[in-house]
Amino acid sequence: MSDTFSIARLDAGDAGFPATLERLLDRGMATDQRIGGIVADIIADVRGRGDEAVLEYTRRFDPFPAEHMADLEVSRDQMQYALEQLPARQRQALEQAADRIRQYHERQGLQSWDYTEPDGSRYGQKVVPLQNAGIYVPGGKASYPSSMLMTAIPARVAGVGQIVAVVPTAYGPDGWLIFAAAALAGVDRLFTVGGAQAIAALAYGTASIPRVDKIVGPGNVFVTAAKKQVFGDVGIDMIAGPSELTIICDGETDPDWIALDLFSQAEHDEQAQSLLISPDAGFLDRVGQSIERLLPQMERADIIRQSLGDRGALIRVRDMEEAVNVSNTIAPEHLELSVADPDTLLQGITHAGAIFMGRYTPEALGDYCAGPSHVLPTSGSARFFSPLSVYDFQKRSSILYCSEEGADRLARIAEEIASDEHLQAHALSAACRYRDTGLT
Amino acid sequence: MSDTFSIARLDAGDAGFPATLERLLDRGMATDQRIGGIVADIIADVRGRGDEAVLEYTRRFDPFPAEHMADLEVSRDQMQYALEQLPARQRQALEQAADRIRQYHERQGLQSWDYTEPDGSRYGQKVVPLQNAGIYVPGGKASYPSSMLMTAIPARVAGVGQIVAVVPTAYGPDGWLIFAAAALAGVDRLFTVGGAQAIAALAYGTASIPRVDKIVGPGNVFVTAAKKQVFGDVGIDMIAGPSELTIICDGETDPDWIALDLFSQAEHDEQAQSLLISPDAGFLDRVGQSIERLLPQMERADIIRQSLGDRGALIRVRDMEEAVNVSNTIAPEHLELSVADPDTLLQGITHAGAIFMGRYTPEALGDYCAGPSHVLPTSGSARFFSPLSVYDFQKRSSILYCSEEGADRLARIAEEIASDEHLQAHALSAACRYRDTGLT
């Protein structure tokens, strides 16, 4: 391991801690104008030239030498074939993960309801699945069949009419895993297209790629910028940044376990963030030693080293109450409560995407197979975003039915407020249901 | 009435109808680059200079000559005083509306839940209200106490910790209505600040205006552009366009009622859209005659005339099935089913913000007091957005607790998929919970 490597040690009791933490958490969410401009051009081009533009960008950015749009679509038969060709071990693991993800998400979902008032008026909400949804699965350098399951299964459970998945070139042996996962998740149409061009195609449609009503799933900065730009013309789930993990530990978990948990987050990419909070300074030392000892044995040691060195920290706190406060300031995507009694701590947690309780629940189990989607709010956005879910693939309509008697009663209220707002036609539209308006 | 006025008459059976409808519906949602640039500058300025910038923009754009930020805050005592000064009729109407809005929204809201597996593992979701929310209430030329109720009450029902409302200068007699509505709705802090500067202040905070986690509520094009730009740094509800109404009528409702319903939408502003769909050509003629007769009696006749002339239409369809199909293509914000049996039609409706059932439920009742929020998805976005609701002011965290036995079982699945994804640290983080990893 490089001599220059070190992970920051912070103490929440230091006067400068809040400012230091803020700097550490600064995730550069500010719009990069250059990326925004590139993405705007790609979107305009795809809107204007459709498939032709999608094909050009794909050939430019992705290694697969597609000649026709048909080369970029993977049929249901091909997905199914990929699934059937998988080694049994791989297939079984994906199937078990898919089953567990399905079971968790079947407990979600809004229901329609209504109620009737004494005068016969009826109010309610009608809940229906989206007609169609676009799933962005990141790829390119790596292949994430787990992300296919974690995005498409909640959509399927919601009853989405048509699921259209896109993934950057997924050919080669790893590509088969993606196709197999798409088969398992029940994806209807799959295109090996990525980047801003894929988002534009899903948002506006091309001759080959259907327009969808909502686009979900994480991607790189171009994908994220594209999702933000098309938002409003189409629904999106959230704005994603680099992945992060915060661990609160009482000092009693095996420090090697904690080091590996931190590594599992850090190995994603150099911008990933791994933070450990503990009131036990000796334990932080021991985790630091585990990190030093284990890091050279990691296949992705270079990425982990840079991620931990640039963005990681071991944070000492006074007590568990301060640990919870620091965590709430971070509003982490993933939060491990590696303590004896996680339920007590849980009550104080206000912001976190997913909370991993106890010493036997490393984030990695949630990444793959525990059940809840691993698509989670990043970069502090757990203050307002929620994990991807069945709710994301449903929408509501408000239902209002006034009986004649009910309309009479409501019209008197509406007429008064409408008059106060100087909206005469509103007042008359309400009033005409119960009295002579005096109009000629 | 001007001789040049006419409302478009369309027939869904015409070959050119789909293209004509598409042109009619074109709501110019495409980002206006000029507005986007102005708004970006305002946001950057408010982020940089805080209160000073807010004060300057307010003085520039709004008529009230504020000298200090304190002039722009309305205290709880002032809101309460405004409520107490209201004439009884006004106060009673607002109170009745507030009660009904509260009662409807109390039926919404997600619950926390969890379940325990046979091995003792536990999974669930924890639902909490947002810590704080920003409410944008449109104003400026008019005053909309109803919008204050329709946005702040769902937030209050959700249990939001702090509700911060902003409204463009609301002084003068009408301003009192807004302050009174804020008191009734339980707003915690109220600022008479509007436009992009208000959105920027809520998103990033200033010395006077607290940063919030989510901003909801409709506004003009500058407000909408600002909401889109800050999205991701803060949550937002939806991207709003001009308001619109589609009515499906079987021809048996009083044509004057239908004309007034169309007027009530059209009087909002020139960009508002009012559409009537009916299989009865004679009825469309009669509504056309009602429009001509009643329009000159409207206080806002000029706005209505331009709105109906530019964006309105009376659309003949073959039958009710075609009426439903045309409506689903429109995906209207407000949909009136002015027919004998609205429940039968309802089943076929896939996209609509709010659905007003039967002849006695004009949109105006929903605008003020029926119960559901009048903040609804516009411009076809009912394909993916939903009415503002209690759900908008809640967020979820996924909860995962693995027992030792559960971790053993899951780790085997996770290890396999992690290996397939070439993420060794993920595999080891899972594996170390149940076996010797072989690390030294």
Side-chain angles (χ1 to χ4, degrees), chain B residues 282-429:
Chain B
F283 178 71
L284 295 178
D285 291 339
R286 289 193 293 281
V287 172
Q289 288 153 15
S290 291
I291 290 173
E292 297 212 14
R293 196 184 85 251
L294 297 173
L295 209 161
Q297 303 177 59
M298 294 297 108
E299 289 167 7
R300 297 165 74 94
D302 288 344
I303 294 172
I304 296 172
R305 189 175 289 120
Q306 188 173 346
S307 163
L308 290 185
D310 289 356
R311 307 208 64 220
L314 309 180
I315 302 170
R316 180 174 182 197
V317 288
R318 195 175 49 244
D319 50 27
M320 280 298 170
E321 191 185 333
E322 189 170 57
V324 167
N325 289 341
V326 170
S327 175
N328 285 337
T329 300
I330 297 166
E333 179 188 11
H334 306 94
L335 173 62
E336 276 186 33
L337 302 179
S338 199
V339 299
D341 179 14
D343 282 293
T344 299
L345 281 198
L346 180 63
Q347 294 168 34
I349 300 296
T350 52
H351 307 307
I355 305 173
F356 299 80
M357 313 262 290
R359 306 190 203 285
Y360 283 89
T361 320
E363 187 209 313
L365 299 186
D367 285 344
Y368 292 114
C369 56
S373 180
H374 73 201
V375 179
L376 297 166
T378 56
S379 310
S381 67
R383 288 187 296 121
F384 46 88
F385 285 140
S386 294
L388 187 71
S389 66
V390 171
Y391 311 111
D392 287 293
F393 298 103
Q394 296 182 309
K395 64 194 182 75
R396 290 171 289 109
S397 296
S398 300
I399 304 294
L400 304 87
Y401 166 80
C402 295
S403 67
E404 198 170 335
E405 190 189 331
D408 183 324
R409 206 152 52 91
L410 291 193
R412 293 161 200 270
I413 306 173
E415 205 182 347
E416 171 62 34
I417 306 180
S419 302
D420 295 341
E421 293 187 356
H422 309 292
L423 292 173
Q424 179 210 21
H426 280 69
L428 290 170
S429 165

Side-chain angles (χ1 to χ4, degrees), chain A residues 69-409:
Chain A
M69 277 303 291
D71 297 338
L72 298 176
E73 178 157 12
V74 180
S75 70
R76 278 289 304 172
D77 282 351
Q78 289 167 327
M79 297 179 222
Q80 192 59 36
Y81 181 76
L83 181 62
E84 282 156 15
Q85 300 305 308
L86 278 196
R89 263 172 67 122
Q90 290 188 359
R91 177 170 179 158
Q92 197 183 9
L94 284 183
E95 282 176 344
Q96 288 172 329
D99 285 345
R100 293 189 58 88
I101 296 164
R102 193 172 296 114
Q103 283 158 25
Y104 178 86
H105 287 93
E106 279 171 352
R107 296 180 183 251
Q108 292 185 326
L110 292 179
Q111 302 298 323
S112 298
W113 49 256
D114 63 22
Y115 59 96
T116 303
E117 299 194 336
D119 63 22
S121 299
R122 205 167 77 237
Y123 301 97
Q125 65 181 21
K126 178 184 173 182
V127 178
V128 296
L130 297 181
Q131 273 194 339
N132 45 62
I135 303 283
Y136 191 94
V137 178
K141 290 181 196 163
S143 175
Y144 300 111
S146 59
S147 295
M148 183 67 81
L149 300 181
M150 291 286 186
T151 44
I153 291 175
R156 192 85 289 163
V157 170
V160 169
Q162 178 179 245
I163 301 174
V164 184
V166 295
V167 57
T169 51
Y171 287 90
D174 289 348
W176 288 83
L177 274 164
I178 286 283
F179 303 163
L184 271 178
V187 165
D188 295 296
R189 301 190 67 182
L190 174 59
F191 296 88
T192 55
V193 174
Q197 58 275 21
I199 300 298
L202 289 172
Y204 303 106
T206 71
S208 302
I209 300 177
R211 182 178 85 144
V212 299
D213 293 330
K214 186 166 185 174
I215 304 172
V216 307
N220 64 19
V221 290
F222 294 95
V223 170
T224 300
K227 281 174 71 179
K228 183 164 171 174
Q229 289 185 25
V230 302
F231 177 57
D233 291 343
V234 66
I236 70 166
D237 53 343
M238 59 183 105
I239 300 286
S243 193
E244 6 106 25
L245 166 66
T246 293
I247 302 176
I248 297 177
C249 187
D250 56 13
E252 302 297 323
T253 308
D254 185 327
D256 280 7
W257 293 11
I258 298 296
L260 288 171
D261 295 353
L262 295 170
F263 290 173
S264 76
Q265 186 55 243
E267 76 175 340
H268 274 295
D269 59 66
E270 293 80 353
Q271 286 76 47
Q273 183 157 56
S274 305
L275 305 172
L276 170 62
I277 304 171
S278 179
D280 182 338
F283 178 71
L284 295 177
D285 291 339
R286 290 194 292 282
V287 172
Q289 288 153 14
S290 291
I291 289 173
E292 297 213 11
R293 196 183 86 253
L294 296 173
L295 208 161
Q297 303 176 60
M298 295 296 109
E299 290 168 5
R300 297 165 74 94
D302 288 344
I303 294 171
I304 295 171
R305 188 175 291 118
Q306 189 172 344
S307 163
L308 289 186
D310 290 355
R311 309 211 58 222
L314 308 180
I315 303 170
R316 181 175 179 196
V317 287
R318 193 175 51 246
D319 50 27
M320 280 298 168
E321 191 184 333
E322 189 170 56
V324 167
N325 289 342
V326 171
S327 176
N328 285 338
T329 301
I330 297 166
E333 179 189 10
H334 307 95
L335 174 62
E336 276 185 35
L337 302 179
S338 199
V339 300
D341 179 14
D343 283 292
T344 299
L345 281 198
L346 180 62
Q347 295 167 32
I349 300 296
T350 51
H351 307 307
I355 304 172
F356 300 80
M357 313 262 291
R359 307 190 203 286
Y360 283 90
T361 319
E363 186 208 313
L365 299 185
D367 286 345
Y368 292 115
C369 55
S373 180
H374 73 200
V375 179
L376 296 166
T378 57
S379 307
S381 66
R383 289 187 296 120
F384 47 87
F385 286 139
S386 295
L388 187 70
S389 67
V390 171
Y391 312 111
D392 286 293
F393 298 105
Q394 297 181 309
K395 65 193 180 74
R396 291 170 289 110
S397 297
S398 300
I399 303 294
L400 304 88
Y401 166 80
C402 294
S403 67
E404 199 171 333
E405 190 188 330
D408 183 325
R409 205 153 51 92

